């Protein structure tokens, strides 16, 4: 409709990266997606432990949620901007630099649309999420980790602050 009416339109998506169409390029083009944020909770062991499928939603090929998200980033980064949001806490903070090395080995920072890395601090933003408090990094700890990430990046890839829509 926007094309027919000559109206500028673009979209962005935040996703866990587990349930996408096979032809990612056609989907991105058809829906004019200019940016996709894919969230990771560490390397495969930590990520899959936190992002389990509900029993009735396990994919037929039984791929882990980490493998599905990685496969999606592999495809998306040829078609649109991809922001890798790395949700950091006490239990997975040691994964952040190895995850960057993993992304570097995958070639994600050298794609037609170089991946943007976004370290994010896991935090309890409401009374319903206070169970997260014991795993939160304090602001000084997170700032130190973010500084390490920026040093690791140097001029080789972009590090940005992750956006926090509505406090989540």
């Amino acid at each position: 409709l926007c094309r027919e009416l000559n109206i500028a339109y673009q979209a962005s998506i935040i996703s866990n990266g587990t349930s996408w169409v096979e032809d990612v390029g056609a989907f991105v083009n058809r829906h004019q997606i200019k940016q996709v944020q894919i969230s990771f909770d560490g390397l495969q062991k930590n990520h899959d432990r936190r992002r389990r499928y509900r029993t009735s939603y396990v994919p037929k090929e039984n791929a882990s949620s980490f493998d599905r998200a990685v496969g999606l980033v592999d495809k998306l980064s040829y078609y649109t901007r991809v922001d890798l949001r790395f949700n950091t806490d006490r239990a997975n903070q040691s994964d952040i630099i190895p995850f960057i090395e993993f992304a570097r080995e995958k070639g994600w920072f050298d794609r037609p649309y170089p991946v943007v890395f976004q370290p994010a601090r896991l935090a309890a933003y409401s009374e319903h999420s206070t169970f997260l408090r014991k795993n939160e990094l304090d602001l000084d700890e997170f700032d130190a980790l973010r500084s390490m990430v920026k040093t690791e990046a140097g001029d080789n890839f972009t590090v940005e602050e992750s956006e926090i829509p509505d406090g989540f």
Side-chain angles (χ1 to χ4, degrees), residues 40-98:
F40 285 90
D41 293 332
L43 290 169
Q44 185 164 8
K45 181 180 177 184
N46 277 322
H47 182 88
D48 284 347
R49 187 176 66 229
R50 295 166 187 219
R51 294 187 182 242
R52 296 178 304 273
Y53 295 105
R54 293 190 335 215
T55 305
S56 58
Y57 291 93
V58 176
K60 291 177 185 168
E61 69 277 4
N62 206 24
S64 75
S65 61
F66 182 84
D67 289 340
R68 299 277 298 242
V70 165
L72 180 61
V73 173
D74 279 340
K75 294 176 184 177
L76 278 172
S77 54
Y78 287 102
Y79 300 101
T80 194
R81 174 182 164 150
V82 178
D83 296 343
L84 294 180
R85 178 186 168 102
F86 190 96
N87 298 315
T88 310
D89 60 38
R90 294 198 181 288
N92 72 356
Q93 64 183 328
S94 63
D95 281 0
I96 198 163
I97 299 300

